[in-house]
Amino acid sequence: MVGITSYGGYIPRYRLNRGTVFGAMGWFNPVTIAVAQGEKSVANYDEDSITMAVAAGLDALNGIAREKIDGVYMASTTLPYKERSCAGIAASAMDLRDNIRFADFAEAVKSGTTASLAALDAVKAGEAENIMVLASDHRMGRMGSMVEQFYGDGAACLVMGNKDVIAEFKGSYSVSYDFVDHFRSDDAPFDRTWEERWIRDMGYSKIIPEALKGLLEKTKVKAEDIAKVVYPCYFGRDHAKLGTKLGIKPEAIHGNMHAETGDTGAAHPLVMMASALADAKPGDKIIMASFGSGSDALLFEVTDNIKKLKGIKGIKNCLANRADLAPYEKYAVFRKLIPMELGIRGEDQAFTAFSTLWRNRRAVMGLVGTKCKDCDTPQFPPQRICVNPDCGSIDQMEDYRFSDKEGTIFSYTGDMLSFSFDPPQIYGIVRFKGGGRLWTDFTDCKLEDVKVGQKVKLSFRRKYYDDKRGIHGYFWKAVPVTEN
């Protein structure tokens, strides 16, 4: 049996109310009031497609030994590198084996489902037992545009495998068209879209039903037997019609999540699939379909194994963990939509020595330190000589991963002198359960919410961006845990 063995999701903590967007830019384009309902998810200033994908991937790894992952496929239209595998960066952050395959699927919004099909093909062919599919996007719309209201940020992960399958893959149907509803050229930061009515009538209303109908006929499954179908369409009133005109029950059509997150691009079908799996029951037939340069439609049937899957945070918990992002100008600064005076400290550029990064890649990317075999003292960064004054053993170390360990705040500082896009800069020392301490930055928090002794989790984030050399630098930051 081949199919989904685990899933994970990640929605950034920040939400931007669309009324806030309209209040700031509605004077320029009043028609955007038509879609200014609900809120959109917004990546923090230190998040991008890679960091969100890693968060979703780690969520999916609950209960799965990392050694069992044979590959990572990453889908996105907003990968930070054009020549450097972003799937490779994500694999390093998750501290996966070196002898795996990874690949990036890019430049099409349906790349998430395309990567899923490629992963299923690899597993069916016997080339791998578990392939992790990461899909993540944080697209930008021009200020005052319709897509600024439509687009949201998020990521999801589906692990495709052949053991302990929670949703068996039953078949797929794809249609491919060079249908240009929007595009972004090589040197452009923003999407350029075509007329909305044409996109709705000739795009969503034709292509998605064609893929769904083809899938139902190919698999010989009746529309009324579908328990849940997920597909994107940011035109709210038309979204449900796409499925119901094929005979799918209205209650089986998953919402388009416009009010909660917005359209998360290549990740959106997988984000909705992860949301649907959280409430799925054995025997449910679920369709996941995409839109963009055509459509892929995949049919899964949920198995009894879904009852055994525990510890997944998923989309629902991410939606509950939210904070308002306001004013609009703060969002604009996070996205670098408007220039800002950074000052001398902000203009300082960190230099990345890739040779040093290579030698220390497991420590920097995977937060892997060492533990003394003689006294069991964990320590970061990795050491040859044990830091325990009562031990001092030499070369008696084994690897020790800190990124998945529980930690608490030992001390912290709010620094208004250091530059931050979200001042004050908060940093301090995290003390891990089981031993070991880490000096690091804190993120996704306000200074007044940080307390000594508070639990934290570690999150892979962008540490800096060297715009002179085009280098994105990553490390792990601490996120104080709050009760939902």
Side-chain angles (χ1 to χ4, degrees):
M1 182 184 298
V2 172
I4 300 170
T5 58
S6 185
Y7 67 92
Y10 179 76
I11 302 298
R13 173 173 172 264
Y14 277 127
R15 308 286 192 278
L16 181 63
N17 189 292
R18 290 191 175 89
T20 302
V21 180
F22 182 79
M25 298 304 300
W27 61 272
F28 175 73
N29 193 3
V31 73
T32 58
I33 189 64
V35 294
Q37 300 86 38
E39 56 190 18
K40 56 183 277 182
S41 52
V42 178
N44 205 340
Y45 72 93
D46 57 358
E47 294 183 298
D48 62 17
S49 294
I50 291 178
T51 66
M52 292 191 295
V54 169
L58 292 175
D59 189 29
L61 279 175
N62 273 301
I64 299 180
R66 302 181 191 217
E67 294 73 19
K68 293 184 177 180
I69 300 298
D70 301 313
V72 176
Y73 293 170
M74 182 163 174
S76 176
T77 66
T78 52
L79 296 175
Y81 285 105
K82 294 178 180 175
E83 287 201 34
R84 181 182 175 187
S85 174
C86 295
I89 296 173
S92 297
M94 291 185 285
D95 193 32
L96 302 181
R97 299 182 347 245
D98 292 330
N99 59 334
I100 64 171
R101 61 172 65 174
F102 49 69
D104 296 330
F105 292 71
E107 300 171 354
V109 179
K110 74 179 179 79
S111 56
T113 53
T114 305
S116 299
L117 288 170
L120 289 164
D121 287 344
V123 175
K124 281 193 296 184
E127 294 294 324
E129 292 191 355
N130 289 289
I131 299 284
M132 176 179 282
V133 180
L134 304 172
S136 178
D137 247 340
H138 74 134
R139 298 177 294 171
M140 292 199 299
R142 290 183 187 275
M143 298 171 70
S145 67
M146 292 290 279
V147 294
E148 182 184 39
Q149 295 276 16
F150 287 143
Y151 291 174
D153 304 329
C157 172
L158 298 178
V159 180
M160 306 299 188
N162 56 14
K163 294 179 181 176
D164 300 323
V165 171
I166 64 167
E168 182 182 5
F169 177 59
K170 307 297 284 188
S172 68
Y173 188 85
S174 298
V175 291
S176 299
Y177 297 109
D178 185 25
F179 180 82
V180 187
D181 57 319
H182 74 282
F183 67 93
R184 177 163 20 104
S185 59
D186 182 57
D187 57 349
F190 303 106
D191 283 6
R192 188 173 184 83
T193 59
W194 206 244
E195 198 263 333
E196 284 87 6
R197 186 176 56 178
W198 183 76
I199 297 170
R200 180 194 63 201
D201 294 345
M202 299 304 295
Y204 285 113
S205 298
K206 300 286 186 184
I207 295 174
I208 290 178
E210 181 183 355
L212 295 178
K213 183 179 179 183
L215 177 67
L216 294 173
E217 291 177 352
K218 181 179 177 181
T219 56
K220 302 185 186 325
V221 172
K222 297 179 181 177
E224 57 266 31
D225 293 335
I226 298 300
K228 192 67 70 178
V229 56
V230 303
Y231 52 77
C233 175
Y234 45 59
F235 299 107
R237 285 184 294 183
D238 299 279
H239 174 261
K241 297 178 183 176
L242 305 184
T244 54
K245 68 182 183 182
L246 295 176
I248 297 174
K249 296 172 290 188
E251 61 271 23
I253 298 173
H254 193 284
N256 65 359
M257 299 186 70
H258 174 76
E260 297 92 349
T261 63
D263 190 305
T264 57
H268 210 49
L270 281 73
V271 166
M272 291 188 290
M273 185 68 180
S275 176
L277 285 170
D279 298 320
K281 303 183 297 295
D284 283 354
K285 293 180 173 62
I286 303 177
I287 294 177
M288 174 177 68
S290 57
F291 175 78
S293 303
S295 175
D296 300 316
L298 294 76
L299 175 64
F300 296 90
E301 183 169 335
V302 178
T303 74
D304 288 336
N305 287 325
I306 199 163
K307 299 177 182 177
K308 304 175 184 175
L309 200 62
K310 306 293 182 185
I312 302 295
K313 184 178 179 183
I315 298 299
K316 184 181 292 185
N317 285 335
C318 288
L319 291 176
N321 180 28
R322 61 175 301 287
D324 290 324
L325 178 62
Y328 176 84
E329 290 82 354
K330 189 172 183 179
Y331 158 77
V333 168
F334 280 11
R335 288 305 180 87
K336 298 183 179 178
L337 297 172
I338 54 178
M340 191 174 120
E341 173 58 53
L342 303 182
I344 297 174
R345 292 184 176 90
E347 292 173 345
D348 188 33
Q349 294 280 0
F351 177 75
T352 302
F354 283 108
S355 51
T356 303
L357 176 60
W358 170 251
R359 286 194 294 271
N360 299 285
R361 61 190 184 279
R362 289 199 69 198
V364 176
M365 304 299 284
L367 203 64
V368 176
T370 50
K371 186 172 77 171
C372 179
K373 296 178 183 176
D374 289 336
C375 69
D376 291 333
T377 300
Q379 38 215 284
F380 188 89
Q383 304 290 320
R384 287 187 58 203
I385 303 173
C386 181
V387 298
N388 183 349
D390 297 326
C391 179
S393 293
I394 300 174
D395 291 335
Q396 293 300 313
M397 297 294 177
E398 61 183 9
D399 293 338
Y400 187 84
R401 186 188 307 120
F402 283 91
S403 63
D404 55 358
K405 301 297 185 295
E406 293 183 15
T408 56
I409 298 174
F410 180 74
S411 65
Y412 67 94
T413 296
D415 188 345
M416 290 298 293
L417 294 177
S418 298
F419 174 78
S420 171
F421 280 103
D422 192 14
Q425 178 83 8
I426 308 173
Y427 50 85
I429 295 176
V430 172
R431 180 165 54 189
F432 290 95
K433 184 178 181 180
R437 294 179 180 179
L438 173 71
W439 185 92
T440 189
D441 294 325
F442 294 176
T443 191
D444 281 1
C445 61
K446 296 179 180 179
L447 181 61
E448 56 267 31
D449 297 331
V450 179
K451 309 293 180 188
V452 169
Q454 187 176 9
K455 289 183 179 179
V456 297
K457 63 178 181 179
L458 276 296
S459 180
F460 188 69
R461 296 296 175 103
R462 189 172 58 195
K463 174 74 172 175
Y464 59 87
Y465 175 60
D466 178 353
D467 58 5
K468 290 182 179 178
R469 306 170 186 86
I471 299 172
H472 301 259
Y474 298 93
F475 192 58
W476 292 81
K477 296 184 180 181
V479 177
V481 176
T482 56
E483 298 296 331
N484 291 329

